[in-house]
Amino acid sequence: MSNRTFIIVLTIILLIIMCPILIVCFWDVDNETDKGKINSMSDNKEIPTLELKLSTEEPEQEKVTIFAVAKTSDSEGILNIKLPDSSIKEGDTASYIVTENGDYHFEVESKNGQKNSADIKVNNIKSSPVSTPYMPNGFSHLEGDSKSGYVIQDSYKNEYVWVPVEKNSLIRKMEQDTSYSDNEQNVNKFVESVNKYGGFYIARYEASISKNKDSSKYVATTIQNRAPWTNVSYSTAQDVAMKTSAELEYGDCKTEIMNSYAWDTTLKWIDSSIVGYSEDLNYGNYSGNITYTGATKTDMVNNICDISGNVKEWTSEKYIGNSNSSNECRVVRGGNMSSNKSASNYEVYESSKVESGLGFRLILYKSV
């Protein structure tokens, strides 16, 4: 075979081998070009717009409606609007009612597949008093918030913690038991105040004894690192408690001894943060010796100290189930240093009883 013939044959063989490869290459190039054309066409589709508007911008609203209007010049139109709660509203208009301040996110989708979104801020909803405690005259915020325990302090360093209560949500453990009663006029005023103002203040510490710096009268204080006021009868404790706000010139609020509503509602609130706290004996001082207020660090819950253990505490709740007794009886709550009883413990003592492991605690609420 001549060289020329050999070259011709080799060329033919190479062409036969290379043809499929070239075809594939050209097909890929064309395909990528087509893809580019498709993407380009998709990119040119009309993107919808979404306009959000509030029903009112006036302050202190109970609720506000957000109106959403979607638009597109694409002939296919709008498919749907996605609301902040992820529900879908078909069509180009939607409305959404809100009762809390915050940022709200909406999304829109056209029938051509294009999407868009918009956000709107709502800040004219009336704040709930539950989460915004009132500040009594002469007090200042010390630490904490409405969830962890909002602590206020007066000019004498007395500390109180806000217990948030939704309207008509006060509870009494013995409400259905007619052997117990807690409906004296001052307690009814407390209930009215709590429902109106969204909560009350509980003394951060067990009551300790002090003299008003401007007089010889004793007042109940709620200050850390003090000896609890014990060996005190119910009548003495309540009398001092009710006069403390006047002695300290609080003005727009009242102080009293803990009542059953205040105690049980406080325990419910604490239990929502520490499940089972009110029945648990792993908190509180049960050492046999009374400690100073706030000394038992394991028993500071929601910024409240010594509800469980250290000293038992008088409440205003009456026991009226014993018709054979001529002596007034009141309910004592919690355990003390020498009795392993939890914060939910219930006992009935004669009002005149005094003992070394029995004291009391103040509540503070706005006058109505």
Side-chain angles (χ1 to χ4, degrees):
M1 179 184 298
S2 65
N3 289 338
R4 182 178 179 184
T5 303
F6 174 78
I7 292 171
I8 293 171
V9 172
L10 181 60
T11 301
I12 293 171
I13 293 172
L14 290 173
L15 287 172
I16 293 171
I17 293 171
M18 293 297 293
C19 270
I21 296 174
L22 291 172
I23 291 171
V24 169
C25 289
F26 281 120
W27 185 87
D28 283 345
V29 170
D30 289 342
N31 191 48
E32 290 300 320
T33 302
D34 289 341
K35 284 182 180 179
K37 291 179 180 179
I38 292 171
N39 288 337
S40 178
M41 290 174 63
S42 176
D43 291 341
N44 288 331
K45 288 184 177 180
E46 179 72 19
I47 297 175
T49 61
L50 186 59
E51 180 183 348
L52 304 176
K53 187 176 181 180
L54 301 180
S55 58
T56 178
E57 294 186 359
E58 290 294 317
E60 298 297 295
Q61 299 296 309
E62 295 291 338
K63 60 183 179 180
V64 171
T65 301
I66 303 173
F67 295 106
V69 178
K71 296 180 180 180
T72 180
S73 60
D74 192 295
S75 59
E76 293 184 58
I78 300 295
L79 179 62
N80 59 49
I81 297 173
K82 186 176 181 180
L83 304 178
D85 62 1
S86 296
S87 62
I88 302 295
K89 178 69 168 60
E90 302 295 330
D92 58 4
T93 61
S95 61
Y96 188 74
I97 298 174
V98 299
T99 57
E100 295 182 1
N101 292 320
D103 296 315
Y104 292 88
H105 180 75
F106 292 73
E107 297 178 6
V108 59
E109 181 177 357
S110 297
K111 291 182 179 179
N112 63 16
Q114 296 286 48
K115 298 179 180 181
N116 205 347
S117 64
D119 297 273
I120 192 169
K121 179 183 286 291
V122 176
N123 56 16
N124 59 333
I125 299 293
K126 183 178 180 180
S127 298
S128 168
V130 171
S131 57
T132 54
Y134 78 90
M135 183 64 67
N137 292 338
F139 282 79
S140 60
H141 178 224
L142 182 64
E143 61 178 310
D145 55 35
S146 59
K147 291 184 178 180
S148 64
Y150 185 91
V151 185
I152 61 172
Q153 185 181 70
D154 69 7
S155 59
Y156 301 99
K157 307 300 182 183
N158 290 290
E159 298 176 21
Y160 293 84
V161 179
W162 176 253
V163 178
V165 185
E166 296 289 348
K167 190 173 184 179
N168 299 321
S169 294
L170 281 166
I171 62 170
R172 272 190 66 215
K173 183 178 180 179
M174 296 298 186
E175 191 164 15
Q176 303 303 317
D177 191 333
T178 56
S179 296
Y180 296 87
S181 173
D182 207 1
N183 60 359
E184 295 174 354
Q185 184 177 3
N186 58 302
V187 177
N188 293 334
K189 288 292 185 181
F190 166 82
V191 172
E192 183 182 350
S193 172
V194 172
N195 285 330
K196 183 175 182 179
Y197 296 108
F200 63 96
Y201 286 100
I202 179 175
R204 190 175 195 179
Y205 307 105
E206 296 158 327
S208 50
I209 189 170
S210 180
K211 283 187 177 181
N212 187 349
K213 67 179 183 178
D214 297 325
S215 75
S216 59
K217 295 181 180 180
Y218 287 105
V219 295
T221 53
T222 167
I223 299 175
Q224 187 178 22
N225 204 33
R226 297 284 183 88
W229 189 345
T230 59
N231 289 305
V232 56
S233 67
Y234 169 78
S235 57
T236 298
Q238 178 67 301
D239 182 62
V240 170
M242 295 182 75
K243 291 177 178 177
T244 292
S245 56
E247 285 294 312
L248 299 181
E249 299 179 337
Y250 286 167
D252 64 337
C253 53
K254 296 181 178 181
T255 52
E256 291 174 10
I257 204 168
M258 287 278 281
N259 58 56
S260 58
Y261 292 100
W263 191 281
D264 291 330
T265 302
T266 298
L267 289 190
K268 179 183 177 182
W269 179 55
I270 295 173
D271 280 344
S272 68
S273 300
I274 303 176
V275 178
Y277 166 82
S278 61
E279 304 287 345
D280 200 326
L281 293 176
N282 291 316
Y283 301 92
N285 169 39
Y286 303 105
S287 67
N289 298 304
I290 296 176
T291 61
Y292 279 3
T293 55
T296 308
K297 298 302 182 185
T298 58
D299 195 35
M300 187 172 78
V301 288
N302 292 20
N303 279 326
I304 304 169
C305 299
D306 308 314
I307 287 281
S308 178
N310 209 36
V311 301
K312 296 177 183 178
E313 301 179 24
W314 285 112
T315 68
S316 64
E317 189 169 23
K318 280 185 179 180
Y319 177 71
I320 55 178
N322 187 358
S323 59
N324 296 322
S325 175
S326 59
N327 297 322
E328 181 186 77
C329 295
R330 299 279 177 168
V331 174
V332 172
R333 303 297 298 269
N336 65 14
M337 73 291 181
S338 58
S339 65
N340 289 353
K341 295 179 180 178
S342 68
S344 63
N345 180 53
Y346 237 75
E347 295 180 56
V348 175
Y349 284 12
E350 289 186 358
S351 297
S352 59
K353 185 177 182 65
V354 296
E355 64 178 34
S356 60
L358 177 59
F360 66 102
R361 184 184 301 261
L362 299 175
I363 52 173
L364 176 76
Y365 63 95
K366 189 170 177 63
S367 302
V368 289

